[in-house]
Amino acid sequence: MPAKKKPASATKQPTSVITGGAGFLGSHLADLLLARGHKVIAIDNFVTGSVDNIAHLGGNPNFKFIQQDVTEFIFLDVPVNFVWHFASPASPIDYLEIPIQTLKVGSLGTHKALGLAKNKGARFLLASTSEIYGDPLVHPQTEEYWGNVNTIGPRGCYDEAKRFAEALAMAYHREHGVETRIVRIFNTYGPRMRLNDGRVVPAFVSQALKGKPLTVFGQGTQTRSFCYVSDLIEGIYRLMNSSSVDPVNIGNPHEMSMLEFAREIIEATGSRSKIVFKPLPQDDPKQRRPNITRAKTKLGWEPKVPLKEGLKKTIEYFRTKV
Ligand code: UDP
């Protein structure tokens, strides 16, 4: 007979496992959990994560790192209280280049992470995405909206992997009684984004800092709403500690067009860069803005960091990288 697992409440210092722990969001989550008294085990295969994001945690006795692809069986010989499943490429350029790995980490990786949570009696949180709404026909997006995704388009590998991951989490909840949480993450920015990951924030900021033209795709009329990373991580932490099995949008409802955003970046960097227009990528969502009523009512959460303040910190970080 296998030894009976300790319930989460019996352990004084909680242990958290973060898949994708060396990524942009995973590493910020590790910092917050360590600050709040958790032991953290970060798992990453460095496909899009970076050792630079966790180097400052080296030598911390509460932090452990395992280099592993989470689509393979995850073996851990210690009690675990929380599993945070963040491993995945998340930039359209990345998942265009590695669509199979993107599909595998969203499906097989989620399966392994859920299996770990089930085995340890741990609570599980899935980092899902606003991409599950596809090119949305409902605006702003509420959690009730089922989405408008092109399954066979270039973004399908990410969108469908995350939709599958949500379905799998709910199946583990319903069939195995695993305590599951699903966060739908909207566009997020901040230090530790990869300079060349192709997403609009690193792209515009690095172009502006180098005095190169900012590449606005299409007419720049498409909209996004940007959340600063510390706000996002706080919302996710609250969700894990809440009783909400239903998905929760976490993001900043401050919406702007990409042309407006390019101008904002030029101003914030004090750059003399011009703006050039490039073709709009296929299936690029025309508008995106979270409805955050559920996060407000269930988690008492809303974003606090204004765009100008968040951009200042992000630009400072990128100045050290360009
Ligand atoms: N975008 C742009 N120029 C760039 C990179 C992106 O105009 O150099 C646009 C892109 O077409 C999209 C928006 O910025 O409408 C956000 O793109 P990102 O890749 O950051 O993420 P998405 O929100 O599309 O997942």
Side-chain angles (χ1 to χ4, degrees):
M1 282 277 282
K4 201 135 176 61
K5 308 279 161 355
K6 273 191 203 172
S9 55
T11 325
K12 271 199 214 87
Q13 185 181 22
T15 297
S16 274
V17 170
I18 307 174
T19 74
F24 165 46
L25 298 181
S27 65
H28 281 286
L29 177 63
D31 288 343
L32 180 123
L33 293 175
L34 288 165
R36 296 196 179 164
H38 287 228
K39 279 188 183 165
V40 171
I41 302 169
I43 307 177
D44 207 299
N45 63 356
F46 296 128
V47 165
T48 56
S50 164
V51 75
D52 294 347
N53 294 338
I54 49 168
H56 63 288
L57 300 175
N60 184 327
N62 290 317
F63 181 76
K64 189 178 164 191
F65 179 75
I66 299 169
Q67 186 168 351
Q68 195 199 310
D69 180 341
V70 296
T71 64
E72 307 285 346
F73 186 86
I74 305 168
F75 176 77
L76 290 175
D77 197 14
V78 289
V80 174
N81 307 101
F82 300 100
V83 175
W84 312 72
H85 183 41
F86 276 67
S88 178
S91 142
I93 297 270
D94 286 338
Y95 51 74
L96 209 64
E97 275 174 14
I98 45 171
I100 297 172
Q101 286 192 63
T102 303
L103 279 155
K104 282 178 74 179
V105 75
S107 54
L108 305 179
T110 304
H111 184 224
K112 299 295 176 290
L114 276 161
L116 176 72
K118 173 175 168 254
N119 178 247
K120 301 288 182 184
R123 190 175 285 182
F124 173 91
L125 182 140
L126 170 68
S128 185
T129 167
S130 54
E131 278 286 321
I132 69 110
Y133 301 122
D135 189 4
L137 305 176
V138 165
H139 191 74
Q141 291 78 54
T142 58
E143 290 88 350
E144 282 85 23
Y145 178 49
W146 290 356
N148 176 40
V149 171
N150 176 5
T151 57
I152 58 168
R155 300 170 87 107
C157 58
Y158 183 63
D159 302 9
E160 291 302 339
K162 291 290 189 182
R163 290 169 69 95
F164 175 88
E166 288 198 6
L168 195 63
M170 291 310 297
Y172 266 68
H173 173 69
R174 293 189 180 113
E175 193 172 330
H176 294 312
V178 174
E179 288 185 23
T180 53
R181 307 286 179 264
I182 297 172
V183 57
R184 293 190 181 145
I185 299 172
F186 282 67
N187 292 70
T188 305
Y189 71 102
R192 300 186 197 159
M193 292 188 95
R194 246 168 53 235
L195 191 65
N196 59 349
D197 85 353
R199 280 188 280 190
V200 71
V201 174
F204 282 179
V205 172
S206 61
Q207 288 162 346
L209 291 177
K210 290 182 196 153
K212 291 189 173 163
L214 273 65
T215 52
V216 169
F217 295 162
Q219 301 297 307
T221 52
Q222 71 276 29
T223 67
R224 294 293 185 275
S225 313
F226 296 97
C227 185
Y228 189 64
V229 63
S230 62
D231 277 335
L232 182 99
I233 298 295
E234 176 64 33
I236 289 173
Y237 179 80
R238 289 192 194 188
L239 174 59
M240 181 65 113
N241 289 295
S242 77
S243 57
S244 179
V245 173
D246 291 334
V248 179
N249 290 339
I250 300 283
N252 191 320
H254 178 73
E255 181 184 6
M256 59 203 308
S257 76
M258 289 309 95
L259 190 54
E260 282 175 280
F261 190 56
R263 293 188 180 125
E264 183 82 37
I265 298 283
I266 289 172
E267 196 194 303
T269 49
S271 168
R272 297 170 70 171
S273 290
K274 303 267 175 283
I275 290 171
V276 291
F277 294 91
K278 299 269 179 190
L280 187 68
Q282 190 193 331
D283 297 340
D284 198 292
K286 286 183 268 310
Q287 49 183 3
R288 183 183 290 156
R289 173 188 181 178
N291 176 315
I292 58 165
T293 307
R294 193 176 283 179
K296 278 187 186 164
T297 51
K298 289 198 170 185
L299 312 177
W301 176 88
E302 62 184 318
K304 293 202 161 53
V305 182
L307 185 66
K308 286 209 187 311
E309 196 183 313
L311 279 182
K312 197 163 167 263
K313 291 183 185 158
T314 308
I315 291 163
E316 269 166 31
Y317 172 80
F318 280 122
R319 273 190 208 283
T320 68
K321 300 282 169 190
V322 289

